[in-house]
Amino acid sequence: MVKNLALGTGRRKTSVARVYLRDGKGGITVNGKPAENYFPNAEHIFTIKQPLTVTSNEGKFDIYVNVAGGGITGQAGACRHGIARVLVMYDESNRSALRANGFLTRDSRMVERKKYGRKGARRRFQFSKR
């Protein structure tokens, strides 16, 4: 049986990531695939690894992530948030470094809903003087 060292939940936009921290050699698995295969863009992989870099925990743990909802960028942000929370749960001394870089703060920006009588959330129809 595999033992989880810590569990954490990360959120961004409409994405939710469940993160499991385990002993290992630094592998990151997202929805059963290596992170490099799941995220097509190198920027997203960089985003995910930021909390590990800041706390100098690269290569110490295996991280398993189940992420659902939203798009690729939102999922990457949710993974980063979840990994940061897991590292704090595992070792409280990581909190100050992660807090200083803003990784523990949930990005609360959401897509504004579309209103009736409009083409989008704020876009109006073209005005005709005559």
Side-chain angles (χ1 to χ4, degrees), residues 71-91:
I72 295 292
T73 303
Q75 288 187 352
C79 291
R80 181 176 78 173
H81 188 222
I83 290 169
R85 281 182 160 186
V86 154
L87 291 172
V88 169
M89 220 168 203
Y90 177 73
D91 185 7

Side-chain angles (χ1 to χ4, degrees), residues 28-124:
I28 300 176
T29 306
V30 182
N31 289 354
K33 297 180 187 174
E36 289 76 19
N37 294 351
Y38 187 81
F39 292 108
N41 195 337
E43 187 179 331
H44 296 132
I45 293 156
F46 172 75
T47 301
I48 286 177
K49 291 183 177 178
Q50 280 179 316
L52 297 168
T53 308
V54 166
T55 57
S56 60
N57 282 320
E58 297 159 298
K60 293 183 182 176
F61 305 109
D62 279 349
I63 295 173
Y64 291 86
V65 182
N66 290 329
V67 66
I72 295 292
T73 303
Q75 288 187 352
C79 291
R80 181 176 78 173
H81 188 222
I83 290 169
R85 281 182 160 186
V86 154
L87 291 172
V88 169
M89 220 168 203
Y90 177 73
D91 185 7
E92 196 65 33
S93 63
N94 291 328
R95 182 180 290 276
S96 59
L98 292 168
R99 173 67 66 197
N101 286 284
F103 299 149
L104 293 176
T105 306
R106 190 228 192 269
D107 190 350
S108 61
R109 294 176 294 172
M110 299 286 276
V111 175
E112 191 174 335
R113 80 174 191 86
K114 184 201 173 296
K115 280 79 168 188
Y116 61 88
R118 305 263 175 98
K119 279 193 160 186
R122 298 185 175 194
R123 171 98 165 89
R124 274 115 167 133

